[in-house]
Amino acid sequence: GAGVSQSPSNKVTEKGKDVELRCDPISGHTALYWYRQSLGQGLEFLIYFQGNSAPDKSGLPSDRFSAERTGGSVSTLTIQRTQQEDSAVYLCASSRDLAYEQYFGPGTRLTVT
Amino acid sequence: KQEVTQIPAALSVPEGENLVLNCSFTDSAIYNLQWFRQDPGKGLTSLLLIQSSQREQTSGRLNASLDKSSGRSTLYIAASQPGDSATYLCAVKGNTDKLIFGTGTRLQVFP
C-alpha cells in the first residue's frame, strides 16, 4: 500500500517568508510525528499528534513553528518568518498507534536563502 | 534526559563480512527500540522494532538484540553486501512517545 508522502520534496525560500510543509500519513495511522534533520546533526523530534491532538510540542524550536492535523489524517507544519537556521530536511512519520513502528516519509528539504 | 550513542560512527568492510553495529542509551526505561537505515538524500526505512519485553528480533540477514538493563542494542548484519551501504540509525522510545535518535553509523560495503 501507499507509504507516508510529503510535499513539496524541495523548497527554497527567502529569509523572512512563511512556508508550509505537508504530510500525508499511511491510511488508518492515528499517530503522526514531525522530525528535523539538519546538516551534520542528528534527527530531532519536533511534535507529534495522536488523532488531531498534539500532546507534546516540546520539540518545536520557537514560536515561529506551528503544526496542525485535521480529520486525523493530513498534517501541515508551518514555519513563519523563516531564518537560515531553519534550513534542514523535515521528516514526517506515522504509526498505527503510539506503541507501534514508525514509518517515515521521504522528507522535505527546506533551504532558506 | 535520554541520550543515544552509536559506535562506530563509520565502518568500511569488504563484501561478505558479518557486522555488528552498536547502540547504547542512558535511560533504561524505554518502551521500544527501532533500527532504521537511511540512504543518501532519502528518508528512513524501518528495519526492526524491538519491544522492551523482547530480547531480539530477526529479519532476513538482520538480527537486533536488546539488553535493556545495560542500555545496549546491537544490530548484526550477516554476509554483508554492497547494497547494505547506508547510514544505520537506532532510536529509542520512552514514555514520552517520541523517538530519540542516535547519531548513526555510516556503513560502506565494498565489492
Side-chain angles (χ1 to χ4, degrees), chain A residues 16 48 54 64 70 88 91 110:
Chain A
Y48 86 88
R64 296 185 295 105
T70 55
L91 291 163
L110 175 65

Side-chain angles (χ1 to χ4, degrees), chain A residues 102-113:
Chain A
Q102 292 186 23
Y103 295 90
F104 280 74
T108 292
R109 181 176 297 278
L110 175 65
T111 303
V112 182
T113 62

Side-chain angles (χ1 to χ4, degrees), chain A residues 51-79:
Chain A
N52 293 333
S53 301
D56 188 352
K57 303 179 183 178
S58 63
L60 294 177
S62 73
D63 58 8
R64 296 185 295 105
F65 286 71
S66 63
E68 65 174 14
R69 189 180 186 196
T70 55
S73 181
V74 172
S75 176
T76 54
L77 176 69
T78 301
I79 309 173

Side-chain angles (χ1 to χ4, degrees), chain A residues 4-8 20-26 31-34 68-69 73-77 90-94 103-106 108:
Chain A
V4 178
S5 61
Q6 293 185 246
S7 60
E20 193 171 277
L21 312 180
R22 177 187 168 109
C23 173
D24 281 88
I26 293 172
L32 184 148
Y33 308 78
W34 284 98
E68 65 174 14
R69 189 180 186 196
S73 181
V74 172
S75 176
T76 54
L77 176 69
Y90 289 81
L91 291 163
C92 174
S94 72
Y103 295 90
F104 280 74
T108 292

